[in-house]
Amino acid sequence: MKRVNRNYKVRNFHQAKWDEPIIFELSKRGERGVLVPQAEDEIVDLVGDGVSKIPASMVRKEAPKLPEISQPRVLRHYMRLSQMTLGADVNIEIGQGTCTVKYSPKVNEQLARMPEMTELHPLQHESTVQGILEIMYKTDLYMREISGMDRFTFQPSGGSQAIMTMASVVRAYHKANREADKRDEIITTIYSHPSDAAAPALMGYKIIYIHPDKDGYPDFEAFKAAVSEKTAAFIVANPEDTGVYNKRIKEFTDLVHEKGGLCCYDQANANGLLGVTRAKEAGFDMCFFNLHKTFSTPHGCGGPATGAMGVIKELEKFLPAPLIDFDGENYFLNYEIANSPYAVGKVRLFNGVAPVVLKAYAWIMSLGAQGLYEVAKVAVLNNNYLFKKLMAIDCVDAPYTRGKQRVEQVRYTLEKLTKDTGIKTEDIQRRMMDFGMHYWTSHHPYYVPEPATLEPTETPSKEDIDEYIATLEHIFKEAYENPEIIKTAPHNSVCHRVDESGMDDPKQWAITWRSYLKKSTT
Amino acid sequence: MKKLGLIVNPIAGMGGRVGLKGTDYVLEKARALGALPQAPNRTVMTLKELNKIKDQIEIVTCSGDMGENEAKKCGFKTRVVFASPNRDTTKQDTFDAAKKMLEENVELLLFAGGDGTAIDIYNAIGEHLTVVGIPAGVKIHSAVYASSPKKAGELTLLYLQDSVPKIKEVEVMDIDEEAFRRGSVKTRLYGYLKIPYEKRFLQGKKSGSVMSDQASQELIAFDIVDNMKEDIYYIIGPGSTTRPIMKLLDLPYTLLGVDLIHNKKLIKNDLSEKELLEEIGRKSCKMIITPIGGQGYLFGRGNQQISPDVIRKVGKENIIVVATKQKIQSLYGRPFLVDTGDVELDKQLNGYIRVTIGYKEQMMYKIES
């Protein structure tokens, strides 16, 4: 018998409201934060003034119109802004859905902020950056062990760029085999991350989606009908966004290989897999990890990201140069593969986001192999605890593989709640903000009706998860008793309900201050 | 002052409670069985949602139970522009009233009824007015109706407050009631009405706004046109998803009919089964069709001109199915259906088919008979 628990405790939360102008509006002519010293004569004599060598066509006619503002005002401005957001450090991060958001140990942040890191410059001579090269090299070795791949690059600055790099390797591989013209199709599934389709589509590939069967696994019969001599690659997430793990994955990869295609594994979210399964054994030729998710550095949007992308031996020669190598004495940037006619060009100007790689390295080192496995176990346990508790609530359900466990996340449906009360999942999303919590629905279009995608990770304690559930239960109860309070939420945020109509209207878009001024005054 | 049109079909829905599966042609029988009007009460439920902006609205409507009574009951400023000459209102009344609304140029036409009412409204106004349907009939196959009277009110309120920026065209469908009473379901596509598109999919944290149906359909059209081969005849099936293909080629089209093109030139609009068979003869031919939203019928609903003979001639491998992601999503995983009237052919059509869902985007989808 399902029941609603009414003995929950819901935390009081309110965002600070500062009515803070944007930084351009704070600008005051002549006010300064830092006075940049003139270059000393000795330096100018040695390397020049640093400006006169810039071609005239590239020199600004006038100084950039940056805000002019003092240091304390800058500090105050950003401190205030930070108080007006739902920060990861002040709330329980369960509701970011397909984005793993786990606690990043502060000691790792401190490491990344050491002057030895912050003062690095990508154009420094190799001999002066041996430390970070060693860390990247060793992180590569760990990634190999975790995935079974033979070589990693840290060049992609995020997950989608790593997918793009995988698709580039696919194209390079077929080009080398003189099959690039023939193979123009990439197969993926509707519950894989949308970037798995979007990135190769941007490169001109035709995208074929596979629907799930009634149990939520990618429909193998549909897959068989899709794979052909035209298949360039299969790009897939496993588990998919529903949290269902495709146990037949090897049959999928085998079929693609039979037809001459490659298999790419989206492991952006590998939190439930560390030390349990590997891309290689599942038959994949490539994979990537989001270091900023699984390996505990802040989430991409909240900080710099890195999509660590790995390939099997046969595909190494297609990776973007440089790779980092070790000759027994020194670490060095290896540009050898850049000479190959088929090599994928650089996907990013410089190699990797060094602080992110360092934090991931530190995290792996602090946990060790057993620790990583423990992370996976706790993440799966936390998820299934949450799953079981939520499924006991009358208005919550989750499609597919009923009665079975999920991996590290679940896509729930609140269809019943919507039918009973008219409250939609987006309404719940806004009301959750009133309690300082994140809650994410799903990518569009909603294949699961009124979806909610939750992923606890290994970070939260049982008490944290209980608090999250209690908050949800409180809101479900409101939906039945006082739906108006949900429909008009958020109440405790700086902005209440945002008018989103402008999002669809090019006449209102403004992605720069200048364009805002232009569009708002005409 | 905003002009809101209101037409109530007072007899809609009367056949349902008494088990007649509709009210067409059986009103007297329904009354004899004790049926009571449903539509007026439902209309009142809808109008209550507009209380907030009562002072800003003038309701332009028809006499008596066709709208006047309901509007006045809820205290709206009401102006009657049509009076039915009949004691029991008829299809013609709905049609004439809707024509009046067109003349009045109302901002939105709210109407209560069932599938039959929607067809009458469609016949009168086509795509010239934006409408919201209050569900009051026995059969609600048409997507023009809100999911409940209350929802119809909420949607109208949003629209009148200029909070619904998009308009969507949806199918006006009905089943043959006579056949339905005999136990067989035959639906027919009559046309498309414009409804406000409630932005159900508000912007989530990590995803852009949903592409409009129209933009998705245009992408599909670009894909189809870019891949059209020379010297192949293309049969273009009915529907709003296939229409942008003809628009892109700058060719005249029939929304509900089947058109034929060759080398990007029109051969003929609105062909019958016989004409299709004559025109395609032994020529190489492809056929572009779209499933019916929400139901998933590929053949046998709304495109009966494409008969079993035509399908056989074209061949399964030459069928190109187009549908937007939203349309596929509206099936919630249910397969496409085929009901060509030829059981053998239906069986042959079963299996998986590639559906073009965008530019260079396809989805494998299952067909079942």
Side-chain angles (χ1 to χ4, degrees), chain B residues 8 10 61-66 68 80-94 96-97:
Chain B
V8 179
T61 186
C62 323
S63 64
D65 267 354
M66 273 188 83
E68 184 188 6
V80 174
V81 294
F82 173 79
S84 167
N86 309 309
R87 188 178 68 88
D88 288 329
T89 59
T90 64
K91 292 172 90 65
Q92 189 63 39
D93 290 330
T94 309
D96 292 343

Side-chain angles (χ1 to χ4, degrees), chain A residues 200-221:
Chain A
L202 201 61
M203 295 171 59
Y205 277 110
K206 190 189 278 179
I207 309 300
I208 321 288
Y209 295 89
I210 304 297
H211 247 264
D213 63 19
K214 63 177 182 1
D215 293 323
Y217 302 114
D219 186 336
F220 191 59
E221 293 306 312

Side-chain angles (χ1 to χ4, degrees), chain A residues 96 98-99 185 190 204 206-211 219 221-222 226 426 430 444 446-447 500 504, chain B residues 166 199-203 206-207 209-210 325 328-329 332 352 354 357 360-365:
Chain A
Q96 280 281 23
T98 57
C99 280
E185 293 184 351
I190 65 162
K206 190 189 278 179
I207 309 300
I208 321 288
Y209 295 89
I210 304 297
H211 247 264
D219 186 336
E221 293 306 312
E426 289 100 352
R430 292 193 187 84
H444 295 290
Y446 288 166
Y447 288 104
E500 290 172 323
D504 289 340
Chain B
K166 285 180 194 160
K199 211 170 157 202
R200 267 184 63 201
F201 308 115
L202 283 161
Q203 174 124 347
K206 294 188 301 185
S207 42
S209 60
V210 181
K325 271 187 198 168
I328 300 260
Q329 180 264 336
Y332 286 125
Y352 289 89
R354 287 177 173 226
I357 57 172
K360 285 195 174 186
E361 268 191 296
Q362 298 185 335
M363 189 177 283
M364 301 302 298
Y365 212 78

Side-chain angles (χ1 to χ4, degrees), chain A residues 13-89:
Chain A
F13 169 84
H14 209 298
Q15 271 176 0
K17 184 167 184 172
W18 285 103
D19 208 8
E20 186 69 8
I22 69 169
I23 197 156
F24 288 93
E25 291 170 303
L26 288 172
S27 176
K28 206 172 142 200
R29 209 179 159 80
E31 198 169 298
R32 287 288 176 271
V34 179
L35 287 174
V36 182
Q38 295 287 325
E40 289 158 32
D41 292 345
E42 209 179 321
I43 294 172
V44 175
D45 288 346
L46 200 62
V47 295
D49 61 6
V51 177
S52 50
K53 277 189 178 170
I54 300 172
S57 61
M58 290 177 70
V59 177
R60 283 175 174 274
K61 301 281 178 289
E62 52 184 303
K65 290 196 175 84
L66 296 173
E68 299 174 65
I69 182 167
S70 71
Q71 270 197 42
R73 293 222 298 156
V74 171
L75 181 67
R76 209 183 300 142
H77 175 70
Y78 287 108
M79 287 297 281
R80 285 174 176 174
L81 291 188
S82 76
Q83 292 173 355
M84 295 198 288
T85 61
L86 267 182
D89 285 343

Side-chain angles (χ1 to χ4, degrees), chain A residues 27-236:
Chain A
S27 176
K28 206 172 142 200
R29 209 179 159 80
E31 198 169 298
R32 287 288 176 271
V34 179
L35 287 174
V36 182
Q38 295 287 325
E40 289 158 32
D41 292 345
E42 209 179 321
I43 294 172
V44 175
D45 288 346
L46 200 62
V47 295
D49 61 6
V51 177
S52 50
K53 277 189 178 170
I54 300 172
S57 61
M58 290 177 70
V59 177
R60 283 175 174 274
K61 301 281 178 289
E62 52 184 303
K65 290 196 175 84
L66 296 173
E68 299 174 65
I69 182 167
S70 71
Q71 270 197 42
R73 293 222 298 156
V74 171
L75 181 67
R76 209 183 300 142
H77 175 70
Y78 287 108
M79 287 297 281
R80 285 174 176 174
L81 291 188
S82 76
Q83 292 173 355
M84 295 198 288
T85 61
L86 267 182
D89 285 343
V90 290
N91 74 79
I92 301 166
E93 279 290 3
I94 285 178
Q96 280 281 23
T98 57
C99 280
T100 310
V101 180
K102 57 171 74 176
Y103 176 67
S104 295
K106 293 300 166 205
V107 63
N108 295 349
E109 297 294 332
Q110 284 166 0
L111 284 176
R113 283 171 200 179
M114 293 190 310
E116 288 85 342
M117 283 300 295
T118 55
E119 288 172 15
L120 281 175
H121 192 280
L123 292 178
Q124 267 177 256
H125 192 269
E126 270 170 15
S127 63
T128 66
V129 289
Q130 284 294 302
I132 188 64
L133 289 183
E134 180 181 352
I135 281 165
M136 286 188 161
Y137 181 82
K138 288 186 171 164
T139 309
D140 176 3
L141 297 183
Y142 291 136
M143 292 287 136
R144 294 182 200 184
E145 201 169 323
I146 291 165
S147 65
M149 294 291 116
D150 294 312
R151 192 68 186 247
F152 271 79
T153 172
F154 299 110
Q155 214 174 87
S157 58
S160 295
Q161 207 177 19
I163 298 164
M164 185 79 117
T165 311
M166 293 203 296
S168 303
V169 170
V170 167
R171 189 166 63 183
Y173 169 82
H174 291 307
K175 228 180 205 170
N177 292 337
R178 298 181 195 289
E179 286 195 331
D181 294 339
K182 190 178 87 176
R183 295 187 182 272
D184 63 348
E185 293 184 351
I186 299 253
I187 303 174
T188 185
T189 63
I190 65 162
Y191 287 132
S192 287
H193 194 279
S195 288
D196 292 329
L202 201 61
M203 295 171 59
Y205 277 110
K206 190 189 278 179
I207 309 300
I208 321 288
Y209 295 89
I210 304 297
H211 247 264
D213 63 19
K214 63 177 182 1
D215 293 323
Y217 302 114
D219 186 336
F220 191 59
E221 293 306 312
F223 188 71
K224 275 204 282 196
V227 181
S228 73
E229 316 301 329
K230 288 182 178 175
T231 306
F234 172 46
I235 305 184
V236 73

